[in-house]
Amino acid sequence: MTNACKSLILICAAALTPAAQAATQEVLIRTRDGATLSATLALPDPRPAERLPALLEFTIYTDPEHHKATVGEFAARGYAGIVANVRGKGASPDAIVPYEHDATDTHAMLDWIGKQPWSDGRVGMLGGSYSGFTAWAAAKRRHPALKAIAVSAAAIPGQGLPMHNNVFLAANYAWAFHVTNNKTMDNSVYEDNQRWTRMTREWFASGRPYRELDAVDGTPNPLLQRWLKHPAFDDYWQSMVPFEKDFARIDIPVLSITGYYDDGQISALQYFKDHLKYRRQAEHYLVVGPYDHVGSHARHKPEVLRDYPIDAVAQMDSQELKLAFLDHVLRGKPKPELLAQRVNLQVMGANQWRRGENLDAMHGIPMRLYFSDQQQDGRFTLSNRAPPATSKVVHQVDLANRNVFHNYHAYPGRIIQGPLEYVTESVFATTPFDAAATVIGSFTGELSFVTNKRDFDLGVTVFEAMPDGRLFHLGYALQRASYAGNPQKRRLLSPGKTQKLGFATSLVARQMQPGSRLLVLVDVQKTPMAQVNYGTGKDVSDESVKDAGEPLRIEILSGSYFEVPLDNAIAKR
């Protein structure tokens, strides 16, 4: 992930034609609270007599040359092109505070655009990752000038980063310095992988509280400390993006692009699901393929991603798709063929796209399998029949042990890999599928369990075990148990009592090979890349190895189940 932001700059600037090199100008815009925003502007040359719609990208990744190339491309398509920097970046003299001002500052930009003599009062916003977030931030309080947004891997602060389902992730730690150390981007500090690896390993080995991560590094991280004050998805985070009924007012067309291996998929899908939940007929198109975070934005996808050869049909230009979508909304041009229906998923291994009107319609009734204590070939079984009431799988983790990582296989560092190594998980397996089977959606399930702690961070990882012995990573879930019912309010567990915990993995669409079986790994998070939840019930950021106590014990009881989102056609057989 360390080069993701730099790569994002490069992929969007690639393949610009000479015609895109329009004359640009730098402008300053004042906000209502007295802050200053800086932006790069380009108009078509020659400039038409009529007023123009505008395309706006609002970003924290300040790169003057990239901004000029981007607005030049917009102008070459006949738009007024603007790339604006968040307050504090570029020529802005203000403090840099990611996320917190963007919902209001994007409105200041939209107000400014609407008052310009070249503007026809219509604006489309586009971007990826952070600038995908700012487009949604602008939509939170519906501005009349905003007519559409087209985004890839759009972030939700507090949902996908810097925490994932209420678990704070160390992967975002260096990003704070990357975007706040100067007026552009501090690539040198961001790309110092040895520093960040050493820091997280030393912190993990020491057993110190997560709140002391910057003390281990030796450099104060004010953003980290600010974020750690909000372990729930509370008003702090909710103020930055549309929340609940805010979505009901978002009546503009939206395009969302993400990937099965995009670290920001959780956020992109949350936007989509909430938009349709609160505005059922929303014109919101979703495109998902075998892309990682950078690939979700890329003009050209790699031929091979983490050892997986990408299907030819998955090769599409994300930036061109966004621009063609905005051409459709703002200029009445034909809608891109890829957006034939609301949901568009590329089925890995089948070299085809599957389409539907909503995610649930893409598969039939999920196939329910039950976690069982019966074993075969050294693995527990997933059975289509509930096991006896006495069935119990005991999973135990010594939280004080600094030498063993748990949930090691969750992150898809490699999509296709060899047999599992360093297994700490409880591994469950299905019987082989006789024919090719397509999974399309998220794997879901529910654990009925007893534990001796007041909290833990559940990890569930799903692989296709192919007949040749290789494993294909299909999805993973990371969930703090105490927030599973409501990310806004913590509800601690009751040690010694039977309780239930639901989970859902990342989204995937994959045609599995005949003879493949599913492997489901159940564990708890304990690596240097995230908080360690010791289960005392205190704020996890304040817990340390001194709080480890006796090993965590989770008894997975009869009635625990796992649901497979089989292709609708197969599910009907």
Side-chain angles (χ1 to χ4, degrees):
M1 291 180 62
T2 53
N3 291 316
C5 299
K6 184 176 181 181
S7 299
L8 175 58
I9 294 295
L10 295 175
I11 58 176
C12 292
L16 294 182
T17 65
Q21 305 305 312
T24 62
Q25 57 181 299
E26 303 302 312
V27 295
L28 297 177
I29 299 95
R30 296 284 286 179
T31 67
R32 290 184 180 181
D33 64 350
T36 300
L37 306 176
S38 67
T40 304
L41 167 69
L43 300 175
D45 185 17
R47 178 176 161 186
E50 70 272 12
R51 294 187 176 215
L52 303 170
L55 297 185
L56 169 64
E57 181 177 351
F58 195 93
T59 183
I60 200 167
Y61 299 126
T62 302
D63 184 309
E65 293 306 311
H66 168 65
H67 292 357
K68 290 177 183 178
T70 300
V71 298
E73 182 186 26
F74 296 167
R77 286 182 92 99
Y79 295 96
I82 305 104
V83 174
N85 304 300
V86 303
R87 69 167 67 185
K89 301 288 281 190
S92 170
D94 301 288
I96 305 167
V97 184
Y99 306 124
E100 296 182 18
H101 301 292
D102 295 333
T104 55
D105 287 354
T106 49
H107 273 236
M109 279 302 310
L110 292 166
D111 286 340
W112 179 84
I113 292 170
K115 295 174 182 177
Q116 301 310 301
W118 40 259
S119 172
D120 72 359
R122 298 180 301 142
V123 182
M125 290 187 69
L126 71 165
S129 196
Y130 193 97
S131 55
F133 146 71
T134 59
W136 277 109
K140 179 178 177 67
R141 292 181 292 111
R142 181 75 168 82
H143 193 289
L146 186 59
K147 301 302 181 184
I149 64 174
V151 296
S152 51
I156 297 180
Q159 177 63 21
L161 56 86
M163 59 182 181
H164 182 113
N165 286 336
N166 303 94
V167 180
F168 279 95
L169 305 177
N172 299 116
Y173 182 90
W175 182 86
F177 300 112
H178 177 51
V179 297
T180 64
N181 274 3
N182 57 45
K183 294 294 182 179
T184 56
M185 293 182 291
D186 192 339
N187 291 322
S188 62
V189 70
Y190 193 59
E191 295 171 0
D192 189 353
N193 296 331
Q194 290 185 348
R195 172 182 172 183
W196 308 123
T197 299
R198 181 176 61 251
M199 177 196 71
T200 53
R201 293 295 181 101
E202 288 181 359
W203 162 77
F204 183 81
S206 73
R208 294 172 69 170
Y210 193 79
R211 202 180 301 278
E212 297 179 8
L213 192 58
D214 56 352
V216 174
D217 178 46
T219 303
N221 190 333
L223 277 178
L224 170 74
Q225 299 303 329
R226 187 192 302 252
W227 294 334
L228 292 180
K229 293 177 182 178
H230 302 277
F233 192 72
D234 57 16
D235 292 344
Y236 174 75
W237 304 111
Q238 294 168 21
S239 67
M240 301 174 188
V241 292
F243 179 69
E244 293 187 347
K245 294 183 179 179
D246 292 340
F247 284 99
R249 298 187 292 272
I250 301 177
D251 58 354
I252 57 175
V254 177
L255 168 62
S256 291
I257 305 171
T258 185
Y260 303 130
Y261 303 100
D262 169 21
D263 303 326
Q265 185 202 107
I266 182 176
S267 299
L269 292 184
Q270 195 66 51
Y271 282 123
F272 179 78
K273 292 174 182 177
D274 283 347
H275 196 188
L276 268 63
K277 176 180 179 180
Y278 292 100
R279 190 178 184 89
R280 185 172 299 178
Q281 300 305 317
E283 187 180 354
H284 190 152
Y285 300 93
L286 177 68
V287 175
V288 193
Y291 317 128
D292 60 9
H293 191 66
V294 171
S296 296
H297 321 296
R299 292 180 179 276
H300 304 286
K301 317 306 185 195
E303 293 185 2
V304 178
L305 176 66
R306 305 179 192 175
D307 296 325
Y308 167 64
I310 292 178
D311 291 344
V313 75
Q315 289 290 344
M316 63 92 177
D317 183 335
S318 293
Q319 183 75 348
E320 178 58 31
L321 182 62
K322 295 175 195 176
L323 291 168
F325 172 75
L326 293 172
D327 283 343
H328 167 66
V329 176
L330 297 173
R331 295 192 178 279
K333 293 187 177 182
K335 184 171 65 176
E337 292 183 6
L338 184 57
L339 308 181
Q341 294 192 53
R342 181 184 281 162
V343 179
N344 306 272
L345 307 180
Q346 201 276 311
V347 182
M348 294 186 290
N351 197 34
Q352 63 179 230
W353 288 88
R354 285 288 307 278
R355 312 184 194 282
E357 282 306 298
N358 57 66
L359 286 169
D360 292 338
M362 303 294 281
H363 60 75
I365 298 173
M367 180 176 71
R368 179 170 290 190
L369 303 172
Y370 293 90
F371 292 99
S372 170
D373 62 358
Q374 297 299 305
Q375 295 193 46
Q376 185 173 4
D377 299 327
R379 296 166 175 160
F380 298 108
T381 60
L382 281 166
S383 172
N384 56 9
R385 293 184 179 181
T390 55
S391 176
K392 179 171 65 175
V393 174
V394 178
H395 188 73
Q396 190 159 295
V397 179
D398 183 358
L399 296 168
N401 187 327
R402 304 286 89 185
N403 297 314
V404 177
F405 296 171
H406 280 260
N407 209 33
Y408 175 79
H409 298 99
Y411 188 77
R414 294 175 64 188
I415 296 171
I416 299 178
Q417 64 178 61
L420 297 175
E421 299 177 338
Y422 315 114
V423 179
T424 62
E425 303 90 348
S426 291
V427 181
F428 297 81
T430 68
T431 57
F433 289 81
D434 293 334
T438 297
V439 290
I440 187 163
S442 295
F443 297 93
T444 58
E446 182 180 81
L447 296 184
S448 178
F449 69 96
V450 173
T451 185
N452 60 339
K453 301 283 185 177
R454 303 184 72 191
D455 203 3
F456 59 85
D457 294 341
L458 175 69
V460 177
T461 309
V462 185
F463 288 97
E464 172 193 356
M466 296 182 286
D468 64 5
R470 294 179 303 157
L471 303 179
F472 194 108
H473 194 292
L474 295 176
Y476 68 100
L478 176 62
Q479 177 66 62
R480 179 152 293 165
S482 59
Y483 282 106
N486 185 348
Q488 305 164 51
K489 188 174 182 179
R490 193 179 191 192
R491 183 177 179 180
L492 295 173
L493 305 177
S494 299
K497 294 186 177 180
T498 300
Q499 295 152 100
K500 297 182 184 299
L501 173 61
F503 61 86
T505 71
S506 49
L507 176 76
V508 72
R510 159 74 173 165
Q511 180 176 281
M512 298 191 299
Q513 298 178 8
S516 287
R517 65 179 72 205
L518 293 175
L519 295 186
V520 181
L521 284 56
V522 179
D523 207 343
V524 299
Q525 176 64 33
K526 196 191 80 168
T527 74
M529 294 310 297
Q531 291 175 309
V532 177
N533 187 344
Y534 293 93
T536 66
K538 298 189 301 186
D539 187 328
V540 175
S541 295
D542 294 322
E543 291 180 316
S544 74
V545 70
K546 297 177 182 178
D547 296 300
E550 63 180 349
L552 168 68
R553 179 182 172 92
I554 302 171
E555 299 177 2
I556 303 173
L557 306 178
S558 177
S560 300
Y561 63 84
F562 177 78
E563 293 188 326
V564 183
L566 282 178
D567 178 290
N568 195 37
I570 294 174
K572 290 179 178 178
R573 292 176 185 172

